[in-house]
Each structure stands twice: as C-alpha cells, then as structure tokens.
Amino acid sequence: MSERLAPNQRRLLLSIYVPPILVGLCKGMVLPVLPLFALSFEVSYGLVGALLAAQGMGNLASDLPAGVAMRRLGCKRSMVLGGVIIALSGLAMFFAQTLWEAIAYRLISGAGLGLWNISRHAYITDLVRIQARGRMNAGLGGVGRITAFVGPLTGGIIAGSLGLQVPFLIYGGVASLAVLATLGLVFSDSVSGSARRGDTPVGLRTVLRQNRTILMRAGTGALMAQTIRAARNVIVPLFAAEQLGLDAKDVGVIISASYAIDMLLFMPAGIIMDRFGRKFAYVPSFLIQSSAMAVIPFADSFTSLLAATLALGAGNGIGSGTMLTLGADLSPPQARGEFLGIWRFIGDSGHAAGPLIVGRAADLLGLMATPFIVAAIGLLGAGVLGLLVPETLVRDESVAKAKPVEGSS
C-alpha cells in the first residue's frame, strides 16, 4: 500500500469494505424475491428473465461511460452518485405496480451499480500493490458472499411474512447508509479519477486498440465464466419454485446456505491467487461450478437441490475476487478508468446474458434442460481462461510497474 496512506490504513480498510457490505446486503435481500415477484405478474419465463436481467443490462449500458466519467468526477463522487441512484431505484421498486415499471427501475439501478462498481474497482487497484491484490479482492468477494448469505435468508423471511415488495423498501434504506459510509470513509484525492486530472485523457478507442489481444482472450473467458455465476441466481430459485414447489423461505435458505460455503473459501482463494497464481483459483472455480450446475436437473427434493447449490457455492468461493484481480492486473495505470470500464462491460455482459439465456432456454427447451446449457458455457469459459490467458501474478513489484499490458504499445 502507499506509504502516504500508511497512517490511515484502518480508514482505508473501512473505506474498501464497509460500503460494499451495505450494497451487498441490498443485492442479497432481493435474490430470492425477484423471480417470485416477477411470477406474481403471471408472465412467461422469458419475461421473468427480462426482469432479472434488467439491472445487469442497465449496468452493462453504463460501464463504458462510467469509466470515462470516473476520471472527471473522481472515485469518491462517482461512488456517491452511484449509491444514490441505487437507493432511489430500490425505493421505487416498492411502489411498482406493473412488471414493465419494475423493469425500468431495475435498469436505472443497474446504471448506478455500474458507476459504483467501476469507481470502487479503480479505488482498490490504485491503493493495493499487486502482490496483495488477490487477497484484498478475494476479501471483497468474501464480503459479497457474507452479505449474500445473510441477505437472501433475511429477504426470504421478510417477503414470506410481509409481502414480496417490502424487501425493496429496506433495500433503499440500506443503500442510503452505504452512501453515508462512502461520504465519511472514502479518500477523495487518492485514485485515478481525481488524483491524475492533469494527465492527458486516453480515449476508449485507443485503449481498445492498444489492449485488443488480451481483452479478446481474457474478455471472452470472463464473459462465459460470469454467465454461469449470474445464471445460478436464476436457475436455483426457478427450479426450486417451479419443479419442487418450494416457497420463498425455502428458496432463501437454499441460496443462503450456498453462499455460506462461498464465504468460507474467500480467504483460501486470496492466498492461492497471491502465492501460486491467479489461474490456480479461477480455472478450478469454473470447472466446479459447471459440474454442479449439470447436477441440478437431477435434484428431486429440498435436500438434493441444497447439495447441488452447496457445490456451486464451493466453486464460486474458490473464485472469490478472481475476475476483479485479473482486470486490475491487466489495467494500464495511465488509462485505468477506461480499461476497467471496458473490463466491467465484458464481465457485466455475462451477468446480463445469464438471466436472458436461462429465460429463453427454459421457454424453448424447458427448465430441466437449461442447466446443461449453462454448464457448457462455464466449461468453455474455464478452457479459454486456462489456455489462452497468461498468468498475471508478478513477484517483483518493480517489474509489475514497468511491464506493459500484453498488446499495448
């Protein structure tokens, strides 16, 4: 970490972890609720997938402009603005009367999430040296998994007791707390967006041209790998409700148990990344997830579905923070915001595609066949990342600072 920040390391750690904890709680609370909320409008699986994909689509659309905006606004202001958008759109969901209205609010929420994610990613990348980056990002991934354990259980209980819309009201309140935490904790003059305003801006086209080779290879693998992660949050609740007849509370328990396994493995994931290399974490992660996804159609009870989702959680836990770390390792310091905007766009394409693939495949082939399609995509992603992307862990920090990104000029 930077020596300038050494006396403030406690505040630095709080600034890195506290706001994401709160935003993660928001996201986790609605995981078991959204599919059931969509089904309450008596619509097709395709439209259920559209609602579940809406936030990802809004996120995707905002990634590239958010990467550029972050350089002008600075990371702190970007995070605050993103958090405000997330909070307001969550509150709006509480009042939604139609599915299309809900889709619009989730699109807006995604735009806020895009700005939030990119500014947070750049903030951590600038402040953490490469040899500790895996553990820091894995810790951040672990925070997400802890909140994903607590959130679905809480959201399921609230929805089952008070109605499917009440979790969105709480979502808005917790997101507001995240904004306050960002205002109080995040350094305002320490990262790419604000500290380097004197630098000549690098255009998106230039960044794409200079890094086209690595973005094509790593981006393709990340796109496929992130698809299986997103599809998991759609397939499990839909399969539980439609095939096994489980209610919101049971779905919440299953998802929370899966994320409980996730959160137990984030520390080993960080150690593996920083000690052995990034590939030793992300390749096994997506292989395990793909295998577990292919088992889901054979589940015939609460217990068997729980077992499959626990395996999904184990695979995802080993991959905690891997895509964040890979993107950070590859990002050039002179164009960090722009590169991370492109990187997030690629990864978020997978997140957005996951629910759409699930919804369309379920309509065409049936819900029982859909997990096999998603598993095949995950296997392809593991292959591309393992065989075509170079290892990015650099032992010597001076080499890491001097070494250009592959494909850059």
Side-chain angles (χ1 to χ4, degrees):
M1 289 201 196
S2 171
E3 293 181 2
R4 181 171 66 85
L5 294 176
N8 300 302
Q9 285 187 1
R10 181 180 178 183
R11 178 182 167 188
L12 173 62
L13 290 174
L14 290 173
S15 72
I16 288 174
Y17 289 120
V18 172
I21 286 174
L22 296 170
V23 173
L25 283 172
C26 294
K27 293 166 64 179
M29 278 193 298
V30 299
L31 276 180
V33 175
L34 275 170
L36 306 182
F37 178 71
L39 287 172
S40 71
F41 292 100
E42 299 182 354
V43 295
S44 68
Y45 287 133
L47 286 177
V48 172
L51 176 63
L52 299 181
Q55 186 179 63
M57 295 300 293
N59 193 344
L60 183 66
S62 71
D63 279 336
L64 297 180
V68 176
M70 191 202 68
R71 178 176 288 275
R72 298 186 178 184
L73 295 175
C75 283
K76 182 171 183 174
R77 281 186 287 181
S78 296
M79 278 189 271
V80 168
L81 178 58
V84 168
I85 294 171
I86 292 169
L88 292 177
S89 58
L91 290 172
M93 282 290 290
F94 175 74
F95 299 100
Q97 298 298 312
T98 68
L99 180 68
W100 294 109
E101 186 181 351
I103 288 173
Y105 295 145
R106 293 292 287 176
L107 284 167
I108 295 169
S109 175
L113 192 61
L115 187 57
W116 168 274
N117 282 334
I118 289 171
S119 52
R120 185 196 65 185
H121 198 173
Y123 182 76
I124 295 170
T125 301
D126 272 9
L127 294 180
V128 180
R129 60 190 178 89
I130 192 169
Q131 291 82 7
R133 198 175 282 160
R135 281 165 289 172
M136 187 65 71
N137 280 315
L140 195 63
V143 163
R145 286 153 173 78
I146 291 170
T147 57
F149 165 69
V150 176
L153 184 60
T154 304
I157 292 172
I158 293 172
S161 303
L162 302 176
L164 291 173
Q165 288 178 293
V166 175
F168 297 108
L169 183 63
I170 300 173
Y171 178 116
V174 176
S176 299
L177 292 178
V179 172
L180 295 177
T182 301
L183 286 169
L185 295 172
V186 171
F187 294 98
S188 60
D189 61 348
S190 55
V191 294
S192 303
S194 54
R196 298 171 183 165
R197 285 179 184 166
D199 291 357
T200 301
V202 180
L204 288 172
R205 288 185 181 179
T206 301
V207 176
L208 280 168
R209 185 179 67 253
Q210 292 179 345
N211 301 279
R212 61 184 177 274
T213 301
I214 196 63
L215 281 170
M216 183 175 296
R217 294 177 182 175
T220 299
L223 177 67
M224 294 177 177
Q226 298 290 43
T227 298
I228 192 171
R229 283 179 159 175
R232 164 197 183 189
N233 294 327
V234 184
I235 287 176
V236 171
L238 280 180
F239 190 89
E242 294 293 288
Q243 296 296 320
L244 303 182
L246 303 179
D247 61 19
K249 291 182 180 179
D250 288 334
V251 174
V253 169
I254 287 174
I255 294 176
S256 289
S258 178
Y259 279 100
I261 300 296
D262 261 357
M263 70 182 183
L264 292 176
L265 294 175
F266 74 87
M267 290 185 65
I271 293 170
I272 290 170
M273 278 193 283
D274 287 340
R275 181 170 297 178
F276 302 105
R278 316 314 194 195
K279 286 191 180 187
F280 287 85
Y282 59 66
V283 172
S285 167
F286 296 116
L287 289 175
I288 294 170
Q289 288 183 78
S290 297
S291 300
M293 182 64 68
V295 171
I296 286 179
F298 301 100
D300 58 1
S301 66
F302 173 91
T303 303
S304 55
L305 181 60
L306 176 62
T309 55
L310 289 177
L312 278 170
N316 202 38
I318 290 295
S320 179
T322 53
M323 293 299 100
L324 288 174
T325 304
L326 183 60
D329 290 349
L330 295 173
S331 64
Q334 72 275 14
R336 183 147 287 153
E338 291 81 358
F339 184 94
L340 291 179
I342 296 168
W343 182 255
R344 299 292 310 206
F345 177 84
I346 293 169
D348 290 338
S349 296
H351 279 289
L356 294 176
I357 290 171
V358 171
R360 188 60 176 163
D363 280 339
L364 292 176
L365 305 174
L367 192 57
M368 294 292 286
T370 303
F372 295 117
I373 296 172
V374 175
I377 293 172
L379 288 174
L380 285 173
V384 171
L385 289 170
L387 299 175
L388 301 181
V389 178
E391 176 57 55
T392 58
L393 175 62
V394 179
R395 306 290 180 182
D396 186 344
E397 189 167 6
S398 63
V399 174
K401 290 180 179 178
K403 184 179 180 180
V405 176
E406 179 182 340
S408 67
S409 58

